[in-house]
Amino acid sequence: MSDLFIGGAWSPAATGRSFPTLNPADGTVITTCAEAGPADVDRAVGAAREAADAWAAHPEHLRARLLWRVADLIEANAEELAELESRDSGQLLGVAREVSVPGTAEHFRYFAGWCTKIQGAVLPVAFPDTLHYTRREPVGVCALITPWNFPLMIAAWKLAPALACGNTVIIKPAEQTPLSTVRLVELMSEAGFPPGVVNLLTGGPGTGRALAAHPAVDKISFTGSTEVGRSLVSAAAGGLKRLTLELGGKAPSIIAADADLDAAVAGNLTGALFHSGQVCAAYARFYVDRKRADEFTEKMAAGAAALRIGPGDDPASWLGPLVSEEHLRSVDAHVRGAVYEGADLVGGGRRVDRPGFFYEPAVFAGVTDDMAIAREEVFGPVIPVLAYDDPDELVARANALEYGLAASIWTRDLSTAHRLAARIRAGAIFINMIHVPDAATTWGGYKASGWGREMGPYAIDAYTEVKGVWTHLGPGSR
């Protein structure tokens, strides 16, 4: 049984309620977690509010040491964290070891370096004998709500910059995958954060809504679906809370006529099927020159069929399970719907006959822009191939959806690549490579894919307020 962490102490939920978290590789219960209710939300927000002023005044170099210490503890407990991440989310153990855990440590180290470098500026103003300068100050109490696909690393994307900027936090992991975040908070407590600076609430959507609506929460940072993001906007609107939202995506991948097709197939298989397609920036609609579309589709289908499907702790597995029975049914409904609309299912598209939530990657040919499989976020191992005749039509087709998180371009012509990159409305463009974000750069979406940016110096903007200070220096000033 996992408890809540509020004000520096672990405790059960006020109601005594709990919920199970499952292993998606076999559907069994791993453990239960406390389900936070309104009274727990009040306690956590109160603890964060009480600690806010002292933490904001905490010397920057000491904040940096604490964040660096967390990174050290993550590395010291790397294998345990990787196994938790794999067991709870279905993530391949190799991915957890090589991507999620090192990426988590890297984010804490990167933002530890920012603690002593957050600064304002002296700005010239029109008024004579006037000094004007700006200060960057913490937003205050931040509620951080994370998704189930990369729970550990996305927690770090939010925790590290929020704390580096002097905010206090309440983190609420997705109810499907809370365990690695619980362990991370244990390590943060061990690192020595003062009581109330870091708080943890586990629970379902009601817990997130209560945090969003709470009058003493100053900021919400949420990663998840566009639908839930819109609901959080409504919940936070009354208090005019600051919001950072990283939401859904339907990333186009453009395969130009001159692309190295074998390299494009290899890159797009990974881009589409990494973590079984449960990635917000997954390549999810594939625009291929008509002269090469059949060859691309056949090679993608053959490559997908050759990938070994199995549990995350099996070193031979390339595709792990989907996160839940509910999500598997959603993915399968999209596949069945595409067949009904007339798309040609070239390969896969079936549940694997074994315990757990495994699904064969589905490759479609003959897809058109008006089909749901080309417009809606599936968040699973589905590859719809759309042919094009005129390269000039690509930008309009790529930009036609409400999403704008990421896009991919495969071509040998860098002029083509950079012209397309400039015109596609998405927050990240990957040219001849897979979607790999980095702590030092920007991450976030256009349009319905979100508000604001995470990572790099842009995260400092997300977690600080800018204050202007004016001083009259004329006669009479002292």
Side-chain angles (χ1 to χ4, degrees):
M1 172 71 178
S2 171
D3 285 339
L4 311 175
F5 187 70
I6 299 174
W10 295 93
S11 63
T15 62
R17 292 177 182 166
S18 63
F19 63 94
T21 181
L22 306 182
N23 181 343
D26 58 18
T28 59
V29 174
I30 302 171
T31 188
T32 58
C33 298
E35 180 154 14
D40 303 302
V41 171
D42 281 341
R43 283 202 303 129
V45 174
R49 176 61 63 196
E50 185 176 351
D53 289 345
W55 179 244
H58 202 72
E60 288 82 358
H61 70 286
L62 297 181
R63 289 208 299 261
R65 288 184 186 180
L66 283 170
L67 292 173
W68 198 274
R69 173 68 175 146
V70 173
D72 288 343
L73 288 169
I74 288 167
E75 291 177 344
N77 294 272
E79 186 61 21
E80 178 193 6
L81 286 165
E83 289 176 359
L84 273 175
E85 190 83 333
S86 177
R87 191 180 317 128
D88 204 20
S89 73
Q91 195 175 121
L92 298 181
L93 187 54
V95 170
R97 285 172 173 159
E98 296 167 20
V99 178
S100 292
V101 174
T104 300
E106 175 60 24
H107 275 80
F108 277 98
R109 286 223 169 88
Y110 176 83
F111 285 104
W114 265 106
C115 291
T116 54
K117 299 168 188 66
I118 299 170
Q119 56 187 315
V122 176
L123 302 173
V125 293
F127 302 103
D129 299 320
T130 301
L131 169 67
H132 180 275
Y133 63 91
T134 61
R135 293 170 47 88
R136 284 195 177 268
E137 298 180 351
V139 176
V141 174
C142 298
L144 313 176
I145 304 173
T146 59
W148 48 256
N149 57 340
F150 287 90
L152 183 64
M153 192 160 60
I154 295 178
W157 294 2
K158 300 180 186 301
L159 284 164
L163 293 167
C165 291
N167 300 284
T168 56
V169 300
I170 304 131
I171 187 153
K172 206 292 283 186
E175 65 272 23
Q176 296 90 343
T177 57
L179 297 184
S180 59
T181 305
V182 171
R183 183 64 181 128
L184 176 60
V185 170
E186 290 177 351
L187 296 177
M188 296 179 77
S189 176
E190 182 179 338
F193 282 89
V197 172
V198 178
N199 304 274
L200 166 74
L201 296 177
T202 50
T207 307
R209 287 193 295 270
L211 280 168
H214 200 288
V217 169
D218 299 298
K219 177 181 175 67
I220 303 289
S221 177
F222 170 75
T223 298
S225 72
T226 296
E227 179 185 6
V228 174
R230 288 187 172 115
S231 73
L232 290 175
V233 170
S234 297
L240 295 177
K241 291 177 173 43
R242 304 296 184 261
L243 289 168
T244 301
L245 303 171
E246 197 254 280
L247 306 175
K250 188 72 172 176
S253 184
I254 294 170
I255 296 88
D258 70 340
D260 179 333
L261 201 67
D262 289 335
V265 166
N268 280 283
L269 276 173
T270 301
L273 301 179
F274 187 72
H275 197 21
S276 298
Q278 299 171 121
V279 182
C280 53
Y283 301 162
R285 45 192 172 117
F286 301 81
Y287 296 98
V288 187
D289 183 277
R290 190 174 300 279
K291 295 185 293 293
R292 311 194 76 185
D294 288 346
E295 182 186 0
F296 178 83
T297 304
E298 289 167 7
K299 288 184 173 182
M300 288 289 280
L307 300 175
R308 184 183 174 98
I309 300 172
D313 60 1
D314 182 349
S317 298
W318 203 98
L319 280 169
L322 300 179
V323 73
S324 67
E325 177 70 28
E326 178 185 19
H327 187 53
L328 185 148
R329 290 177 179 173
S330 172
V331 171
D332 188 61
H334 278 95
V335 170
R336 304 278 79 79
V339 172
Y340 178 79
E341 287 190 284
D344 179 15
L345 181 58
V346 178
R350 292 182 298 271
R351 182 174 194 151
V352 178
D353 185 15
R354 62 179 296 167
F357 313 129
F358 297 93
Y359 199 82
E360 294 178 356
V363 179
F364 284 99
V367 179
T368 57
D369 290 302
D370 59 334
M371 293 180 179
I373 202 74
R375 294 183 290 103
E376 298 176 1
E377 185 177 33
V378 178
F379 218 67
V382 176
I383 298 171
V385 179
L386 300 90
Y388 71 86
D389 297 299
D390 182 357
D392 290 337
E393 73 189 41
L394 285 171
V395 171
R397 292 176 72 182
N399 289 339
L401 303 187
E402 66 172 347
Y403 299 113
L405 183 60
S408 176
I409 302 164
W410 299 81
T411 178
R412 288 187 172 97
D413 185 346
L414 288 181
S415 295
T416 296
H418 290 293
R419 281 198 299 269
L420 287 171
R423 296 175 65 197
I424 293 172
R425 292 182 55 76
I429 310 292
F430 297 93
I431 300 172
N432 296 331
M433 64 179 292
I434 63 169
H435 42 70
V436 184
D438 187 272
T441 186
T442 176
W443 191 251
Y446 284 39
K447 302 185 287 184
S449 286
W451 289 352
R453 294 294 181 267
E454 297 183 299
M455 303 188 202
Y458 308 94
I460 306 304
D461 293 333
Y463 289 102
T464 56
E465 297 276 22
V466 179
K467 176 186 288 182
V469 180
W470 303 69
T471 305
H472 177 55
L473 302 177
S477 299
R478 293 182 181 272

